[in-house]
Amino acid sequence: AMQAQLVIPFDIYGSLALSNERSQAGESRQRVNYSRAVPSEGGVGYNLGYASGDGPAYRQADLTWRMQSVQLQAGVYGSSDAETRWADASGSLVWMDKQVFAANRVNDAFVVVSTDGYAGVPVLYENQLVGETDRNGHLLVPWSSAYYRGKYEIDPLNLPVTVQTPNVEQRVAVRRGSGYLLEFPVRRVIAASITLVDAQHQELPLGSQVRHEQTGARAVVGWDGLVYLENLAAHNTLQVTVGEGRTCQATFDVDINEEQVPLIGPLVCQ
């Protein structure tokens, strides 16, 4: 018995295989097969095959459609006088952090990424984009590798400018057959940029020291009298030291529900 086979890859998904074989009984058969794998992020894959030689011709065709919540498959194989048709649907239901997730079949382990309720945050697993968090700030990664410290990342560019993410990358290993809730702390920061001027409406000198009286936070006046402050309250008071021990005071209000960083001023420090 002997067989010769030629495999031609076209891209990272598709390949063509040609083969010729001869059995010990002297029967010969030629085969041609084209397959296209399903992308890991989801999509369509298929497999087409045909074999002829001594005996009835053999045909094979199947299609796989992988979506975020389910994988559907259907196919047919056999000869003209003995044909078999089949179909399959597989998926998973996961309950974690008071939410139900529908996903593809979990073969090894899974991780639920949480962004503290912020939706539309891209999530990456091993540098590959998995998807975006839903309206509750969650995303299920159903194909995590068990016992491997996989790298999970979030891309904070879609978050409002008033939101801070102290950690955008974490590594975690999950036991086989189990899941893990991976939380990325996301906190909202009330901030503002303030332009400070003196009584003559001239910008305060560069490097003037600024102290927020309510929180004790300190900052420095930059070019054009501009200073940036975080963790503000609805009503704020600033104490400014303007060289040679001279001080002045400025008060201002901010909208704590503002989604953008406001530019306040010119604000007179007196």
Side-chain angles (χ1 to χ4, degrees):
M2 60 186 298
Q3 180 186 34
Q5 185 180 44
L6 174 65
V7 179
I8 307 172
F10 291 101
D11 52 33
I12 61 175
Y13 297 117
S15 64
L16 175 68
L18 306 170
S19 67
N20 186 24
E21 62 186 56
R22 183 183 184 277
S23 68
Q24 191 174 5
E27 297 178 345
S28 63
R29 181 171 288 265
Q30 295 77 41
R31 301 177 185 270
V32 58
N33 187 87
Y34 180 79
S35 61
R36 182 170 179 82
V38 183
S40 59
E41 65 272 14
V44 175
Y46 52 87
N47 186 40
L48 304 172
Y50 180 81
S52 65
D54 299 332
Y58 179 87
R59 302 175 181 85
Q60 174 189 347
D62 61 70
L63 178 72
T64 301
W65 184 16
R66 180 182 297 163
M67 296 173 284
Q68 186 174 0
S69 58
V70 68
Q71 178 171 285
L72 304 176
Q73 293 179 291
V76 58
Y77 65 89
S79 59
S80 57
D81 55 349
E83 192 175 76
T84 300
R85 297 179 177 87
W86 62 274
D88 177 77
S90 62
S92 303
L93 287 176
V94 173
W95 168 263
M96 181 170 277
D97 202 21
K98 301 179 182 179
Q99 185 175 344
V100 177
F101 304 91
N104 275 294
R105 182 175 176 177
V106 177
N107 294 311
D108 207 357
F110 68 90
V111 168
V112 174
V113 175
S114 172
T115 54
D116 281 349
Y118 284 91
V121 180
V123 177
L124 294 88
Y125 172 60
E126 291 298 320
N127 303 318
Q128 299 295 319
L129 180 64
V130 179
E132 296 183 352
T133 54
D134 60 17
R135 58 187 177 89
N136 296 317
H138 291 120
L139 178 70
L140 171 66
V141 183
W143 53 77
S144 300
S145 299
Y147 305 110
Y148 169 70
R149 291 187 70 247
K151 182 173 70 171
Y152 300 83
E153 301 171 86
I154 62 171
D155 186 351
L157 292 180
N158 287 2
L159 291 171
V161 294
T162 54
V163 170
Q164 286 188 348
T165 53
N167 188 8
V168 297
E169 177 184 321
Q170 297 188 58
R171 288 185 176 270
V172 63
V174 186
R175 182 167 51 87
R176 181 176 176 84
S178 65
Y180 186 81
L181 177 63
L182 184 60
E183 296 179 297
F184 283 89
V186 178
R187 65 186 184 94
R188 187 171 181 274
V189 177
I190 303 173
S193 294
I194 306 107
T195 301
L196 295 174
V197 297
D198 58 20
Q200 288 74 39
H201 289 271
Q202 298 296 318
E203 291 87 358
L204 293 188
L206 181 68
S208 299
Q209 300 295 312
V210 180
R211 186 175 70 86
H212 189 267
E213 286 200 345
Q214 283 83 352
T215 63
R218 296 182 179 275
V220 177
V221 175
W223 297 104
D224 302 322
L226 195 64
V227 61
Y228 175 78
L229 291 168
E230 295 180 346
N231 301 318
L232 300 175
H235 182 74
N236 304 271
T237 302
L238 302 180
Q239 192 77 24
V240 185
T241 302
V242 190
E244 299 178 355
R246 292 184 296 110
T247 62
C248 62
Q249 193 176 76
T251 60
F252 64 96
D253 296 330
V254 295
D255 181 3
I256 60 175
N257 297 316
E258 177 70 42
E259 292 295 332
Q260 301 294 326
V261 177
L263 178 60
I264 300 174
L267 188 65
V268 177
C269 186
Q270 56 189 1

